[in-house]
């Protein structure tokens, strides 16, 4: 049982992908890259390799550590080409058959795919494919892509691949393996990130730049929205087969998903989060004694808030980094005490003080309620909450496991009601305009936004076919899968 009071009420970080083309011990490099991307998915991990003759796969539930740090596992993944995936389920059950990379034998040969994102018309496509005779082996939306490639009437694999993607809605960053080469691509909106790097003569693809850093690769560039990059023995080829449209990368990558030591769209995630905190201090000042981050994701924004406000930054919540899953304790009272194994208030610092807690978001509100109570129990005179994102009022359908809209606290209550719910003395969120300002942009009402900010605004950049067109029973089925 996970007793972490801060992880049970976060938006889950979709997935992470990592690919290596032509490197010695490619699978070992992929395992290292996946370690750096572990924050993007903690439910399962998988690696598929190609040795020039055969594909080899190892997939497992749980973290990269413990599954891919054993010599016998890496030895079972030979070859100079490999791709890997860390997963948090946004569609499909949390079972081994849904763990990626997914693999299939097509008429053109083996085909493996690792996917970060979510296909927002996957249920409709799946129903159509099943009626035409396709037999699915998983409940993952990613398998839809494999079937679309397999059933395409185009001649070459790349043409089949493009044909498949033309039928797909939503968000995807893909790393695919074939006997001829490796394919990496982003959807035309560029919702999910994907970068390319070099390690000597080897080509690396990763969800974030931090994974390149970990394996010693040099960042080359981001994969452009709508771009397909093909790496073969003949070299690197770039295709842009889709009509150019206004890109809408996910703004929440800057707020929470990406690691603070990554570079996203040319900007340091750490610097952006500090800037958001500073903007929050300008918009929502409060007279207090301490600025305290909610660990760990609230730390950069809290630093920015403290620097802008002149109020001291202090670590008022101490996190233990040496506690994994705790034993299942008998009884609610002992179970509640298990919370303090992972996070505990710095009582000597907090007692009698007016504190400002800075966090990245509020989802259901249960986490914020626990944190505020922790401060009160430690003797805080006042507890003020400041959030480094606008209120999350809408569900995400592009690869983030968001609760149903009716379970989002900001959908049910206004800021005053939310303040009462979490028992804080005050609560404030950075404005949507302030968030864009921290990113060096200006959100204008007369033009399309520069980012996908649908979780805050409800402005979805694509059709949501599975929400709009399917019978109600199928919509309930999809929502049930998303919640797993």
């Amino acid at each position: 049982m996970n007793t972490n009071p801060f992880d049970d009420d976060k938006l889950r970080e979709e997935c992470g992908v990592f690919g290596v083309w032509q490197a010695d011990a490619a699978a070992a490099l992929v395992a290292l890259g996946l370690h750096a991307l572990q924050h993007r998915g903690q439910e399962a991990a998988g690696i598929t390799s190609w040795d020039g003759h055969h594909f080899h796969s190892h997939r497992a539930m749980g973290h990269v550590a413990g599954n891919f740090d054993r010599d016998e596992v890496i030895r079972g993944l030979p070859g100079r080409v490999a791709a890997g995936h860390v997963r948090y389920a946004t569609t499909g059950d949390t079972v081994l058959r849904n763990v990626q990379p997914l693999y299939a034998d097509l008429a053109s040969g083996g085909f493996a795919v690792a996917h970060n994102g979510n296909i927002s018309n996957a249920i409709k496509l799946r129903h159509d494919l099943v009626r035409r005779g396709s037999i699915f082996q998983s409940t993952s939306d990613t398998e839809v892509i494999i079937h679309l490639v397999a059933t395409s009437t185009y001649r070459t694999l790349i043409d089949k691949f493009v044909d498949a993607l033309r039928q797909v809605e939503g968000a995807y960053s893909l790393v695919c393996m074939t006997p001829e080469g490796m394919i990496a691509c982003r959807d035309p909106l560029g919702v999910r990130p994907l970068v390319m790097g070099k390690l000597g003569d080897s080509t690396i693809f990763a969800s974030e730049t931090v994974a390149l850093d970990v394996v010693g690769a040099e960042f080359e560039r981001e994969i452009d929205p709508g771009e397909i990059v093909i790496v073969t023995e003949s070299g690197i080829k770039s295709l842009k087969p889709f009509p150019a449209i206004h890109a809408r990368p996910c703004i929440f990558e800057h707020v929470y998903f990406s690691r603070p030591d990554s570079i996203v769209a040319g900007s340091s995630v750490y610097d952006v989060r500090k800037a958001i905190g500073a903007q929050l201090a300008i918009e929502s000042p409060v007279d207090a004694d301490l600025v305290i981050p909610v660990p760990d994701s609230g730390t950069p924004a809290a630093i920015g808030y403290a620097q802008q406000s002149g109020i001291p930054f202090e670590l008022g919540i101490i996190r233990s980094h040496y506690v994994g899953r705790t034993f299942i304790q008998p009884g609610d009272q002992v179970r509640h005490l298990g919370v303090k194994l992972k996070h505990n208030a710095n009582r000597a610092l907090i007692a009698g003080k007016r504190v400002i807690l800075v966090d990245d978001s509020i989802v259901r509100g249960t986490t914020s309620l626990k944190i505020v109570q922790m401060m009160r129990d430690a003797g805080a005179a006042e507890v003020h909450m400041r959030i480094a994102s606008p209120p999350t009022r809408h569900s995400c359908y592009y690869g983030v496991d968001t609760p149903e809209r009716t379970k989002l606290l900001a959908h049910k209550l206004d800021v005053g009601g939310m303040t009462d719910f979490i028992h804080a003395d005050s609560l404030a969120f950075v404005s949507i305009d302030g968030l864009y300002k921290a990113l060096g942009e200006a959100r204008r009402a007369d033009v399309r936004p520069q980012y996908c900010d649908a979780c805050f605004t409800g402005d979805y950049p694509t059709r949501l076919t599975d929400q709009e067109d399917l019978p109600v029973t199928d919509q309930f089925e999809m929502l049930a899968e998303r919640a797993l």
Side-chain angles (χ1 to χ4, degrees):
M1 182 185 70
N2 189 353
T3 60
N4 186 338
F6 305 142
D7 289 348
D8 62 356
D9 190 31
K10 291 290 186 183
L11 298 179
R12 302 296 183 174
E13 303 95 324
E14 345 112 10
C15 301
V17 298
F18 192 90
V20 174
W21 170 259
Q22 293 299 351
D24 292 335
L29 284 177
V30 170
L32 288 173
L34 294 182
H35 272 287
L37 299 173
Q38 186 72 85
H39 60 287
R40 298 186 73 89
Q42 295 89 50
E43 283 190 347
I47 297 176
T48 298
S49 70
W50 165 250
D51 64 7
H53 302 283
H54 304 284
F55 285 89
H56 308 267
S57 292
H58 184 81
R59 301 180 297 164
M61 307 304 298
H63 289 188
V64 179
N67 285 311
F68 291 96
D69 52 4
R70 305 194 306 274
D71 287 342
E72 62 270 22
V73 172
I74 298 301
R75 284 197 302 268
L77 296 166
R80 292 173 52 82
V81 180
H85 187 268
V86 287
R87 180 176 192 263
Y88 187 87
T90 57
T91 62
D93 299 343
T94 306
V95 292
L96 192 60
R97 63 177 176 159
N98 286 332
V99 180
Q100 300 183 35
L102 297 184
Y103 174 83
D105 285 306
L106 307 184
S108 57
F111 185 80
V113 58
H115 171 210
N116 171 207
N118 196 64
I119 307 305
S120 58
N121 63 337
I123 291 179
K124 182 181 186 304
L125 291 171
R126 184 185 181 105
H127 284 186
D128 293 343
L129 286 161
V130 169
R131 280 195 292 265
R132 287 155 46 191
S134 291
I135 300 173
F136 281 75
Q137 300 299 313
S138 77
T139 58
S140 169
D141 62 331
T142 307
E143 191 178 358
V144 168
I145 297 172
I146 294 177
H147 284 275
L148 290 174
V149 173
T151 58
S152 173
T153 58
Y154 282 82
R155 187 176 61 85
T156 69
L157 177 62
I158 291 301
D159 287 340
K160 290 174 181 287
F161 186 67
V162 172
D163 180 43
L165 297 184
R166 290 190 194 280
Q167 302 173 62
V168 164
E169 298 172 5
Y172 54 83
S173 284
L174 305 174
V175 174
C176 308
M177 296 167 56
T178 77
E180 287 73 36
M182 180 168 281
I183 305 169
C185 69
R186 287 175 81 187
D187 67 82
L189 289 166
V191 177
R192 294 284 153 240
L194 190 63
V195 299
M196 181 169 67
K198 296 293 287 185
L199 181 61
D201 294 329
S202 306
T203 300
I204 312 287
F205 297 102
S207 291
E208 293 184 35
T209 61
V210 66
L212 302 179
D213 298 337
V214 165
V215 300
E218 181 181 353
F219 169 77
E220 288 232 311
R221 65 179 181 88
E222 292 190 344
I223 306 302
D224 291 335
E227 181 183 18
I228 298 174
V229 176
I230 306 159
V231 188
T232 66
E233 296 290 352
S234 301
I236 299 175
K237 181 179 180 181
S238 172
L239 301 177
K240 295 188 176 180
F242 310 109
I245 59 175
H246 181 76
R248 296 278 299 275
C250 174
I251 201 167
F252 223 88
E253 291 285 348
H254 297 277
V255 174
Y256 173 62
F257 292 141
S258 294
R259 262 180 49 165
D261 45 344
S262 281
I263 306 295
V264 175
S267 297
S268 160
V269 173
Y270 179 78
D271 288 345
V272 167
R273 289 178 187 168
K274 283 179 60 180
I276 296 171
Q279 183 64 30
L280 185 56
I282 293 169
E283 293 182 355
S284 302
V286 61
D287 191 16
D289 303 306
L290 302 174
V291 176
I292 294 173
V294 176
D296 288 318
S297 57
T299 300
I303 293 171
Y305 192 104
Q307 291 176 347
Q308 178 65 38
S309 65
I311 300 172
F313 170 93
E314 296 287 355
L315 297 179
I317 302 171
I318 305 303
R319 175 187 174 191
S320 172
H321 293 267
Y322 305 101
V323 180
R325 288 186 177 270
T326 56
F327 58 89
I328 299 176
Q329 306 96 334
D332 291 338
Q333 181 179 0
V334 177
R335 184 178 296 112
H336 176 72
L337 293 176
V339 166
K340 295 185 178 181
L341 288 173
K342 293 188 176 182
H343 294 86
N344 192 40
N346 191 346
R347 184 178 295 270
L349 178 73
I350 292 167
K353 300 293 182 21
R354 300 165 299 170
V355 302
I356 303 170
L357 292 167
V358 180
D359 202 357
D360 59 86
S361 61
I362 290 181
V363 184
R364 294 180 179 88
T366 53
T367 291
S368 300
L369 178 63
K370 292 174 184 176
I371 299 168
V372 170
Q373 188 59 50
M374 182 184 290
M375 295 295 101
R376 301 252 188 238
D377 292 344
E382 297 176 9
V383 183
H384 303 274
M385 198 88 180
R386 294 296 180 266
I387 306 299
S389 64
T392 303
R393 295 191 173 98
H394 304 271
S395 297
C396 175
Y397 301 102
Y398 302 120
V400 180
D401 186 49
T402 316
E404 295 177 45
R405 190 179 179 191
T406 56
K407 295 181 181 179
L408 295 171
L409 191 66
H411 172 70
K412 298 185 290 186
L413 301 172
D414 61 13
V415 173
M418 296 172 74
T419 306
D420 293 340
F421 179 85
I422 67 173
H423 299 162
D425 290 286
S426 73
L427 169 67
F429 298 79
V430 73
S431 67
I432 188 68
D433 290 337
L435 179 57
Y436 272 77
K437 185 175 182 179
L439 282 158
E441 305 281 0
R443 194 180 197 277
R444 294 171 49 191
D446 58 332
V447 297
R448 298 187 69 183
Q450 298 93 320
Y451 296 93
C452 178
D453 54 21
C455 53
F456 309 132
T457 66
D459 181 8
Y460 294 99
T462 72
R463 278 196 65 191
L464 302 175
T465 297
D466 288 341
Q467 300 292 314
E468 301 165 356
D469 295 349
L470 291 180
V472 172
T473 53
D474 287 331
Q475 292 182 25
F476 284 146
E477 173 189 335
M478 181 187 67
L479 290 171
E481 286 187 341
R482 285 178 55 81
L484 292 170

